[in-house]
Amino acid sequence: MKILFYDTKSYDRDSFQETLADFSGLEIEYTKSDLDPRTATLAEGFDAVCAFVSSDVGAHTIEILHQKGIRLILMRCAGFNNVDMDAAKRCDIRVMRVPGYSPEAVAEHAMALALAANRRLYKAYNKVRENDFSLSGLMGFNFFEKTAGIVGTGKIGAAMCRICRGFGMKVIAYDVYENPALKDFVEYVSLERLLSDSDVISLHCPLMDSTYHLINIDTIRQMKDGVVLVNTSRGALVKTDDLIEGIRMHKFAGVGLDVYEEETNNVFEDRSDEILEHSTTARLLSFPNVMITSHQGFFTREALSAIAETTLQNALDFDAGLESANDVT
Ligand code: NAD
C-alpha cells in the first residue's frame, strides 16, 4: 500500500521511518507540500494520503483525490474539523485519525502556558538576558487553592484536571458529557458558573458548530477579572477580536495560546511581514500578558511515536478491510 505523506517535517519523517520498520506492506513517500486542491494532483498512483491539521481537506481537494484514485485519508492528528466529511462520503473515501496519542503532552503544555503567562516567564527571560534583574511587571498569583475551570473533559481535559489537582487547585469542569473517571475530584458545573468562578480557564473541547467562538465578548464579560485563559484546543474556539477587546478591558492576568484562528490561513508559514503586521495574532503578541506558541502541544517524543504507530496501524486496518474505532464518521 502506497501512502503520500503531505506537509512533511524532518521530525515526521524520522518518527514514521523508525516506526515503519515494524509495519510490513506499507510504503511512504514524503512531500513538503501541504495538501490542498493544487497539491492533491500529486496523489496519482498512491492508495492513501496522510494529512495534518493544517491541510486543506475540503470538498475540492477530496474530489481531486478521488479522481486520482485515493481511497483513504490518514489524518495524523485528533481533530478533523478541516475535513469535509460529506465530500469524503460522497467520494467513498475513508477517513481515519489518531484520536488520542499522548493527552499528557498537550495538557502539560497547557499548564506550561498557564504558568508562563501568569508569571510572565517570557518577559522575565528576556529581562535577565538584557541584564535587567528587576521584578517589575512580573507579579503573578499562586495557583494553589485557586479554581481551575476545564472546558471539555475528554482525554486531554481529563489529563489537565489531574495536573490542576496536583497543583492543589479546586477543579471544576463543563462538558456535554461527564467523565466518570473524574468524579472523585472534579465538580461539573454550568458554563456560566465555570466562567464566573474560575481563576484559570483551559479549553479542551473540539471545534464544532456548537463550540465555534465559545469565548466571545459575552462569555469574556462573565469571567472573573484577573483570570488566566489558555487555549491549546482549536483557534476558532476563541473569537480573536473579542479576546483583544477583553485584554484591553484588563480582564486577563494572562492569556496562553497554542492555537489561533489564523493558523488555517498559514499566516506564519508564509511569514510575509505584511501579513504579520495586519494579523490579529500579531496584535495579540503586542500585549505583555499574552504568550503564544505555534501549535506545539502535541510535540513530544512520546506523542510523535504514538502518532506514527496509530496512523500506520490505521493503514493496515484499512488494507485488511477491518472496521476501526479510529474511523471518522
Ligand atoms: P476528546 O474527544 O477526548 O475530548 C473532547 C471533549 O470535549 C469530550 O469530553 C466532549 O464531550 C467535549 N465536548 C464536546 N462538545 C462540547 C461542548 N460544546 N462543550 C464542552 N465540551 C464539549 O478530545 P481530546 O483528545 O481531549 O482533544 C481535545 C481537543 O484538543 C481536540 O479536539 C483538538 O482540537 C485539540 N488538540 C490540540 C493539540 C495541540 O497540539 N495543541 C493536540 C491534540 C488535540
Side-chain angles (χ1 to χ4, degrees), residues 102-143:
S102 175
E104 289 76 18
V106 184
E108 286 173 16
H109 191 66
M111 182 49 99
L113 282 172
L115 291 169
N118 175 37
R119 305 298 288 267
R120 308 277 192 273
L121 293 187
Y122 43 92
K123 196 168 168 185
Y125 173 78
N126 284 328
K127 274 165 73 103
V128 171
R129 276 168 72 95
E130 283 163 19
N131 216 21
D132 175 357
F133 288 80
S134 78
L135 299 181
S136 65
L138 302 183
M139 196 188 307
F141 65 89
N142 285 9
F143 281 7

mmCIF file of all heavy atoms in Angstrom, residues 102-143:
data_model
loop_
_atom_site.group_PDB
_atom_site.id
_atom_site.type_symbol
_atom_site.label_atom_id
_atom_site.label_comp_id
_atom_site.label_asym_id
_atom_site.label_seq_id
_atom_site.Cartn_x
_atom_site.Cartn_y
_atom_site.Cartn_z
ATOM 1 N N SER A 102 -0.984 11.233 23.077
ATOM 2 C CA SER A 102 -0.437 11.469 24.401
ATOM 3 C C SER A 102 -1.156 12.687 24.965
ATOM 4 O O SER A 102 -0.693 13.805 24.794
ATOM 5 C CB SER A 102 1.072 11.708 24.330
ATOM 6 O OG SER A 102 1.533 12.035 25.621
ATOM 7 N N PRO A 103 -2.313 12.436 25.578
ATOM 8 C CA PRO A 103 -3.062 13.576 26.113
ATOM 9 C C PRO A 103 -2.222 14.408 27.075
ATOM 10 O O PRO A 103 -2.354 15.629 27.146
ATOM 11 C CB PRO A 103 -4.258 12.938 26.821
ATOM 12 C CG PRO A 103 -4.081 11.471 26.772
ATOM 13 C CD PRO A 103 -2.981 11.144 25.823
ATOM 14 N N GLU A 104 -1.316 13.713 27.780
ATOM 15 C CA GLU A 104 -0.476 14.445 28.755
ATOM 16 C C GLU A 104 0.413 15.463 28.058
ATOM 17 O O GLU A 104 0.718 16.512 28.622
ATOM 18 C CB GLU A 104 0.388 13.476 29.571
ATOM 19 C CG GLU A 104 -0.393 12.639 30.584
ATOM 20 C CD GLU A 104 -1.178 11.515 29.939
ATOM 21 O OE1 GLU A 104 -0.877 11.147 28.775
ATOM 22 O OE2 GLU A 104 -2.118 11.001 30.583
ATOM 23 N N ALA A 105 0.845 15.146 26.811
ATOM 24 C CA ALA A 105 1.721 16.092 26.098
ATOM 25 C C ALA A 105 1.018 17.438 25.976
ATOM 26 O O ALA A 105 1.605 18.495 26.264
ATOM 27 C CB ALA A 105 2.071 15.540 24.714
ATOM 28 N N VAL A 106 -0.260 17.414 25.563
ATOM 29 C CA VAL A 106 -0.990 18.673 25.356
ATOM 30 C C VAL A 106 -1.349 19.310 26.697
ATOM 31 O O VAL A 106 -1.215 20.525 26.883
ATOM 32 C CB VAL A 106 -2.263 18.439 24.507
ATOM 33 C CG1 VAL A 106 -2.959 19.762 24.216
ATOM 34 C CG2 VAL A 106 -1.921 17.728 23.205
ATOM 35 N N ALA A 107 -1.781 18.474 27.651
ATOM 36 C CA ALA A 107 -2.171 19.023 28.959
ATOM 37 C C ALA A 107 -0.969 19.657 29.666
ATOM 38 O O ALA A 107 -1.085 20.734 30.265
ATOM 39 C CB ALA A 107 -2.780 17.915 29.824
ATOM 40 N N GLU A 108 0.181 19.020 29.567
ATOM 41 C CA GLU A 108 1.377 19.597 30.210
ATOM 42 C C GLU A 108 1.724 20.931 29.555
ATOM 43 O O GLU A 108 2.134 21.886 30.221
ATOM 44 C CB GLU A 108 2.568 18.617 30.100
ATOM 45 C CG GLU A 108 2.429 17.430 31.049
ATOM 46 C CD GLU A 108 3.502 16.348 30.841
ATOM 47 O OE1 GLU A 108 4.517 16.624 30.189
ATOM 48 O OE2 GLU A 108 3.296 15.228 31.344
ATOM 49 N N HIS A 109 1.533 21.003 28.239
ATOM 50 C CA HIS A 109 1.817 22.278 27.556
ATOM 51 C C HIS A 109 0.800 23.350 27.974
ATOM 52 O O HIS A 109 1.157 24.521 28.136
ATOM 53 C CB HIS A 109 1.804 22.080 26.039
ATOM 54 C CG HIS A 109 2.328 23.264 25.291
ATOM 55 N ND1 HIS A 109 3.641 23.678 25.378
ATOM 56 C CD2 HIS A 109 1.715 24.175 24.496
ATOM 57 C CE1 HIS A 109 3.809 24.770 24.643
ATOM 58 N NE2 HIS A 109 2.653 25.098 24.105
ATOM 59 N N ALA A 110 -0.451 22.933 28.153
ATOM 60 C CA ALA A 110 -1.479 23.888 28.607
ATOM 61 C C ALA A 110 -1.086 24.468 29.971
ATOM 62 O O ALA A 110 -1.179 25.679 30.199
ATOM 63 C CB ALA A 110 -2.843 23.202 28.682
ATOM 64 N N MET A 111 -0.622 23.590 30.869
ATOM 65 C CA MET A 111 -0.212 24.096 32.189
ATOM 66 C C MET A 111 1.036 24.972 32.060
ATOM 67 O O MET A 111 1.158 25.994 32.739
ATOM 68 C CB MET A 111 0.014 22.936 33.163
ATOM 69 C CG MET A 111 0.388 23.371 34.555
ATOM 70 S SD MET A 111 -0.713 24.668 35.243
ATOM 71 C CE MET A 111 -1.812 23.704 36.279
ATOM 72 N N ALA A 112 1.942 24.592 31.168
ATOM 73 C CA ALA A 112 3.145 25.407 30.956
ATOM 74 C C ALA A 112 2.746 26.812 30.494
ATOM 75 O O ALA A 112 3.295 27.818 30.976
ATOM 76 C CB ALA A 112 4.062 24.750 29.920
ATOM 77 N N LEU A 113 1.770 26.893 29.593
ATOM 78 C CA LEU A 113 1.321 28.199 29.106
ATOM 79 C C LEU A 113 0.659 28.998 30.225
ATOM 80 O O LEU A 113 0.877 30.215 30.354
ATOM 81 C CB LEU A 113 0.323 28.031 27.954
ATOM 82 C CG LEU A 113 0.907 27.705 26.588
ATOM 83 C CD1 LEU A 113 -0.218 27.372 25.605
ATOM 84 C CD2 LEU A 113 1.720 28.878 26.046
ATOM 85 N N ALA A 114 -0.157 28.307 31.032
ATOM 86 C CA ALA A 114 -0.838 28.996 32.136
ATOM 87 C C ALA A 114 0.196 29.584 33.097
ATOM 88 O O ALA A 114 0.100 30.742 33.512
ATOM 89 C CB ALA A 114 -1.761 28.021 32.871
ATOM 90 N N LEU A 115 1.201 28.779 33.429
ATOM 91 C CA LEU A 115 2.228 29.241 34.368
ATOM 92 C C LEU A 115 3.076 30.353 33.755
ATOM 93 O O LEU A 115 3.371 31.368 34.395
ATOM 94 C CB LEU A 115 3.143 28.070 34.764
ATOM 95 C CG LEU A 115 2.502 26.990 35.634
ATOM 96 C CD1 LEU A 115 3.416 25.776 35.718
ATOM 97 C CD2 LEU A 115 2.199 27.520 37.028
ATOM 98 N N ALA A 116 3.453 30.159 32.495
ATOM 99 C CA ALA A 116 4.319 31.148 31.837
ATOM 100 C C ALA A 116 3.596 32.484 31.711
ATOM 101 O O ALA A 116 4.190 33.549 31.931
ATOM 102 C CB ALA A 116 4.749 30.639 30.470
ATOM 103 N N ALA A 117 2.302 32.434 31.363
ATOM 104 C CA ALA A 117 1.550 33.682 31.214
ATOM 105 C C ALA A 117 1.354 34.335 32.576
ATOM 106 O O ALA A 117 1.507 35.557 32.728
ATOM 107 C CB ALA A 117 0.205 33.405 30.548
ATOM 108 N N ASN A 118 1.050 33.530 33.598
ATOM 109 C CA ASN A 118 0.807 34.072 34.938
ATOM 110 C C ASN A 118 2.060 34.709 35.517
ATOM 111 O O ASN A 118 2.005 35.794 36.097
ATOM 112 C CB ASN A 118 0.298 32.944 35.850
ATOM 113 C CG ASN A 118 0.144 33.393 37.293
ATOM 114 O OD1 ASN A 118 -0.259 34.529 37.564
ATOM 115 N ND2 ASN A 118 0.478 32.522 38.220
ATOM 116 N N ARG A 119 3.212 34.040 35.338
ATOM 117 C CA ARG A 119 4.442 34.539 35.952
ATOM 118 C C ARG A 119 5.314 35.303 34.960
ATOM 119 O O ARG A 119 6.454 35.644 35.264
ATOM 120 C CB ARG A 119 5.232 33.371 36.576
ATOM 121 C CG ARG A 119 4.406 32.559 37.572
ATOM 122 C CD ARG A 119 3.932 33.379 38.770
ATOM 123 N NE ARG A 119 5.026 33.677 39.651
ATOM 124 C CZ ARG A 119 5.366 32.932 40.719
ATOM 125 N NH1 ARG A 119 4.660 31.870 41.037
ATOM 126 N NH2 ARG A 119 6.384 33.268 41.469
ATOM 127 N N ARG A 120 4.766 35.545 33.746
ATOM 128 C CA ARG A 120 5.458 36.344 32.722
ATOM 129 C C ARG A 120 6.856 35.797 32.441
ATOM 130 O O ARG A 120 7.836 36.554 32.383
ATOM 131 C CB ARG A 120 5.605 37.803 33.153
ATOM 132 C CG ARG A 120 4.342 38.472 33.594
ATOM 133 C CD ARG A 120 3.562 38.990 32.386
ATOM 134 N NE ARG A 120 2.502 39.871 32.799
ATOM 135 C CZ ARG A 120 1.281 39.475 33.153
ATOM 136 N NH1 ARG A 120 0.971 38.178 33.144
ATOM 137 N NH2 ARG A 120 0.379 40.348 33.511
ATOM 138 N N LEU A 121 6.962 34.481 32.303
ATOM 139 C CA LEU A 121 8.289 33.869 32.172
ATOM 140 C C LEU A 121 9.032 34.344 30.924
ATOM 141 O O LEU A 121 10.253 34.519 30.949
ATOM 142 C CB LEU A 121 8.171 32.341 32.147
ATOM 143 C CG LEU A 121 7.691 31.698 33.450
ATOM 144 C CD1 LEU A 121 7.770 30.182 33.358
ATOM 145 C CD2 LEU A 121 8.519 32.183 34.647
ATOM 146 N N TYR A 122 8.268 34.564 29.833
ATOM 147 C CA TYR A 122 8.909 35.021 28.583
ATOM 148 C C TYR A 122 9.528 36.401 28.787
ATOM 149 O O TYR A 122 10.604 36.698 28.295
ATOM 150 C CB TYR A 122 7.871 35.040 27.441
ATOM 151 C CG TYR A 122 6.546 35.611 27.874
ATOM 152 C CD1 TYR A 122 6.263 36.956 27.720
ATOM 153 C CD2 TYR A 122 5.602 34.794 28.504
ATOM 154 C CE1 TYR A 122 5.065 37.481 28.178
ATOM 155 C CE2 TYR A 122 4.408 35.305 28.956
ATOM 156 C CZ TYR A 122 4.139 36.648 28.796
ATOM 157 O OH TYR A 122 2.967 37.179 29.264
ATOM 158 N N LYS A 123 8.825 37.222 29.569
ATOM 159 C CA LYS A 123 9.318 38.581 29.819
ATOM 160 C C LYS A 123 10.529 38.525 30.773
ATOM 161 O O LYS A 123 11.545 39.189 30.561
ATOM 162 C CB LYS A 123 8.180 39.377 30.473
ATOM 163 C CG LYS A 123 8.364 40.862 30.454
ATOM 164 C CD LYS A 123 7.055 41.518 30.856
ATOM 165 C CE LYS A 123 7.304 42.992 31.133
ATOM 166 N NZ LYS A 123 6.108 43.648 31.639
ATOM 167 N N ALA A 124 10.409 37.676 31.805
ATOM 168 C CA ALA A 124 11.491 37.523 32.787
ATOM 169 C C ALA A 124 12.769 37.038 32.099
ATOM 170 O O ALA A 124 13.870 37.539 32.351
ATOM 171 C CB ALA A 124 11.064 36.529 33.867
ATOM 172 N N TYR A 125 12.599 36.087 31.198
ATOM 173 C CA TYR A 125 13.734 35.509 30.465
ATOM 174 C C TYR A 125 14.457 36.603 29.671
ATOM 175 O O TYR A 125 15.678 36.744 29.735
ATOM 176 C CB TYR A 125 13.180 34.418 29.543
ATOM 177 C CG TYR A 125 14.182 33.819 28.593
ATOM 178 C CD1 TYR A 125 15.105 32.878 29.022
ATOM 179 C CD2 TYR A 125 14.173 34.177 27.236
ATOM 180 C CE1 TYR A 125 16.009 32.316 28.142
ATOM 181 C CE2 TYR A 125 15.075 33.621 26.353
ATOM 182 C CZ TYR A 125 15.988 32.688 26.814
ATOM 183 O OH TYR A 125 16.882 32.131 25.942
ATOM 184 N N ASN A 126 13.660 37.397 28.960
ATOM 185 C CA ASN A 126 14.272 38.455 28.138
ATOM 186 C C ASN A 126 14.919 39.527 28.998
ATOM 187 O O ASN A 126 15.983 40.049 28.678
ATOM 188 C CB ASN A 126 13.218 39.098 27.228
ATOM 189 C CG ASN A 126 12.902 38.176 26.066
ATOM 190 O OD1 ASN A 126 13.774 37.441 25.606
ATOM 191 N ND2 ASN A 126 11.666 38.192 25.612
ATOM 192 N N LYS A 127 14.265 39.862 30.120
ATOM 193 C CA LYS A 127 14.818 40.902 31.000
ATOM 194 C C LYS A 127 16.199 40.481 31.513
ATOM 195 O O LYS A 127 17.158 41.248 31.458
ATOM 196 C CB LYS A 127 13.879 41.141 32.195
ATOM 197 C CG LYS A 127 12.767 42.150 31.898
ATOM 198 C CD LYS A 127 11.683 42.071 32.939
ATOM 199 C CE LYS A 127 12.098 42.661 34.262
ATOM 200 N NZ LYS A 127 11.537 43.979 34.522
ATOM 201 N N VAL A 128 16.263 39.249 32.027
ATOM 202 C CA VAL A 128 17.526 38.789 32.624
ATOM 203 C C VAL A 128 18.619 38.713 31.559
ATOM 204 O O VAL A 128 19.771 39.072 31.790
ATOM 205 C CB VAL A 128 17.322 37.434 33.347
ATOM 206 C CG1 VAL A 128 18.650 36.824 33.777
ATOM 207 C CG2 VAL A 128 16.424 37.627 34.566
ATOM 208 N N ARG A 129 18.241 38.282 30.359
ATOM 209 C CA ARG A 129 19.234 38.247 29.269
ATOM 210 C C ARG A 129 19.781 39.644 28.965
ATOM 211 O O ARG A 129 20.901 39.793 28.499
ATOM 212 C CB ARG A 129 18.587 37.688 27.993
ATOM 213 C CG ARG A 129 18.588 36.179 27.959
ATOM 214 C CD ARG A 129 17.695 35.696 26.856
ATOM 215 N NE ARG A 129 18.292 35.932 25.549
ATOM 216 C CZ ARG A 129 19.000 35.034 24.884
ATOM 217 N NH1 ARG A 129 19.195 33.850 25.405
ATOM 218 N NH2 ARG A 129 19.493 35.304 23.708
ATOM 219 N N GLU A 130 18.942 40.652 29.221
ATOM 220 C CA GLU A 130 19.400 42.021 28.974
ATOM 221 C C GLU A 130 19.976 42.649 30.237
ATOM 222 O O GLU A 130 20.053 43.869 30.371
ATOM 223 C CB GLU A 130 18.237 42.859 28.425
ATOM 224 C CG GLU A 130 17.982 42.547 26.970
ATOM 225 C CD GLU A 130 16.635 43.020 26.471
ATOM 226 O OE1 GLU A 130 16.028 43.895 27.134
ATOM 227 O OE2 GLU A 130 16.189 42.503 25.438
ATOM 228 N N ASN A 131 20.316 41.792 31.183
ATOM 229 C CA ASN A 131 20.953 42.245 32.416
ATOM 230 C C ASN A 131 20.031 43.085 33.297
ATOM 231 O O ASN A 131 20.492 43.883 34.108
ATOM 232 C CB ASN A 131 22.236 43.027 32.073
ATOM 233 C CG ASN A 131 23.308 42.758 33.092
ATOM 234 O OD1 ASN A 131 23.247 41.735 33.801
ATOM 235 N ND2 ASN A 131 24.259 43.662 33.215
ATOM 236 N N ASP A 132 18.721 42.937 33.123
ATOM 237 C CA ASP A 132 17.749 43.659 33.951
ATOM 238 C C ASP A 132 17.176 42.654 34.953
ATOM 239 O O ASP A 132 16.379 41.786 34.584
ATOM 240 C CB ASP A 132 16.640 44.226 33.049
ATOM 241 C CG ASP A 132 15.522 44.876 33.833
ATOM 242 O OD1 ASP A 132 15.567 44.848 35.086
ATOM 243 O OD2 ASP A 132 14.587 45.394 33.204
ATOM 244 N N PHE A 133 17.600 42.776 36.204
ATOM 245 C CA PHE A 133 17.184 41.813 37.221
ATOM 246 C C PHE A 133 16.026 42.341 38.084
ATOM 247 O O PHE A 133 15.719 41.784 39.123
ATOM 248 C CB PHE A 133 18.375 41.401 38.093
ATOM 249 C CG PHE A 133 19.341 40.511 37.341
ATOM 250 C CD1 PHE A 133 20.274 41.059 36.464
ATOM 251 C CD2 PHE A 133 19.293 39.133 37.490
ATOM 252 C CE1 PHE A 133 21.140 40.241 35.752
ATOM 253 C CE2 PHE A 133 20.150 38.309 36.780
ATOM 254 C CZ PHE A 133 21.080 38.858 35.903
ATOM 255 N N SER A 134 15.389 43.430 37.648
ATOM 256 C CA SER A 134 14.273 43.967 38.433
ATOM 257 C C SER A 134 13.045 43.070 38.245
ATOM 258 O O SER A 134 12.936 42.346 37.260
ATOM 259 C CB SER A 134 13.936 45.381 37.976
ATOM 260 O OG SER A 134 13.204 45.320 36.777
ATOM 261 N N LEU A 135 12.121 43.134 39.216
ATOM 262 C CA LEU A 135 10.941 42.266 39.168
ATOM 263 C C LEU A 135 9.697 43.001 38.646
ATOM 264 O O LEU A 135 8.608 42.431 38.642
ATOM 265 C CB LEU A 135 10.644 41.726 40.569
ATOM 266 C CG LEU A 135 11.745 40.876 41.206
ATOM 267 C CD1 LEU A 135 11.315 40.379 42.585
ATOM 268 C CD2 LEU A 135 12.105 39.690 40.319
ATOM 269 N N SER A 136 9.879 44.226 38.207
ATOM 270 C CA SER A 136 8.691 44.996 37.823
ATOM 271 C C SER A 136 7.979 44.323 36.640
ATOM 272 O O SER A 136 8.610 43.865 35.698
ATOM 273 C CB SER A 136 9.068 46.439 37.480
ATOM 274 O OG SER A 136 9.870 46.444 36.350
ATOM 275 N N GLY A 137 6.666 44.272 36.766
ATOM 276 C CA GLY A 137 5.839 43.679 35.708
ATOM 277 C C GLY A 137 5.787 42.161 35.732
ATOM 278 O O GLY A 137 5.241 41.547 34.814
ATOM 279 N N LEU A 138 6.350 41.534 36.747
ATOM 280 C CA LEU A 138 6.426 40.063 36.753
ATOM 281 C C LEU A 138 5.516 39.407 37.792
ATOM 282 O O LEU A 138 5.505 38.181 37.907
ATOM 283 C CB LEU A 138 7.877 39.602 37.004
ATOM 284 C CG LEU A 138 8.936 40.081 36.013
ATOM 285 C CD1 LEU A 138 10.296 39.486 36.359
ATOM 286 C CD2 LEU A 138 8.553 39.692 34.584
ATOM 287 N N MET A 139 4.750 40.198 38.557
ATOM 288 C CA MET A 139 3.991 39.582 39.644
ATOM 289 C C MET A 139 2.858 38.704 39.115
ATOM 290 O O MET A 139 2.120 39.104 38.217
ATOM 291 C CB MET A 139 3.414 40.628 40.586
ATOM 292 C CG MET A 139 2.999 39.922 41.867
ATOM 293 S SD MET A 139 2.085 40.876 43.041
ATOM 294 C CE MET A 139 3.028 42.298 43.307
ATOM 295 N N GLY A 140 2.744 37.511 39.678
ATOM 296 C CA GLY A 140 1.650 36.615 39.312
ATOM 297 C C GLY A 140 0.822 36.279 40.536
ATOM 298 O O GLY A 140 0.872 37.000 41.539
ATOM 299 N N PHE A 141 0.057 35.192 40.468
ATOM 300 C CA PHE A 141 -0.680 34.728 41.654
ATOM 301 C C PHE A 141 -0.457 33.231 41.824
ATOM 302 O O PHE A 141 -0.100 32.538 40.863
ATOM 303 C CB PHE A 141 -2.178 35.075 41.559
ATOM 304 C CG PHE A 141 -2.927 34.396 40.454
ATOM 305 C CD1 PHE A 141 -3.526 33.147 40.640
ATOM 306 C CD2 PHE A 141 -3.083 35.008 39.206
ATOM 307 C CE1 PHE A 141 -4.229 32.522 39.619
ATOM 308 C CE2 PHE A 141 -3.789 34.381 38.173
ATOM 309 C CZ PHE A 141 -4.360 33.147 38.381
ATOM 310 N N ASN A 142 -0.624 32.743 43.074
ATOM 311 C CA ASN A 142 -0.484 31.302 43.342
ATOM 312 C C ASN A 142 -1.615 30.534 42.670
ATOM 313 O O ASN A 142 -2.770 30.965 42.747
ATOM 314 C CB ASN A 142 -0.634 31.018 44.838
ATOM 315 C CG ASN A 142 0.575 31.411 45.634
ATOM 316 O OD1 ASN A 142 1.485 32.056 45.120
ATOM 317 N ND2 ASN A 142 0.584 31.031 46.896
ATOM 318 N N PHE A 143 -1.316 29.398 42.090
ATOM 319 C CA PHE A 143 -2.382 28.520 41.600
ATOM 320 C C PHE A 143 -2.956 27.690 42.756
ATOM 321 O O PHE A 143 -4.120 27.293 42.716
ATOM 322 C CB PHE A 143 -1.858 27.585 40.502
ATOM 323 C CG PHE A 143 -1.732 28.254 39.140
ATOM 324 C CD1 PHE A 143 -1.923 29.625 38.983
ATOM 325 C CD2 PHE A 143 -1.455 27.508 37.997
ATOM 326 C CE1 PHE A 143 -1.825 30.245 37.737
ATOM 327 C CE2 PHE A 143 -1.360 28.113 36.744
ATOM 328 C CZ PHE A 143 -1.540 29.477 36.620
#
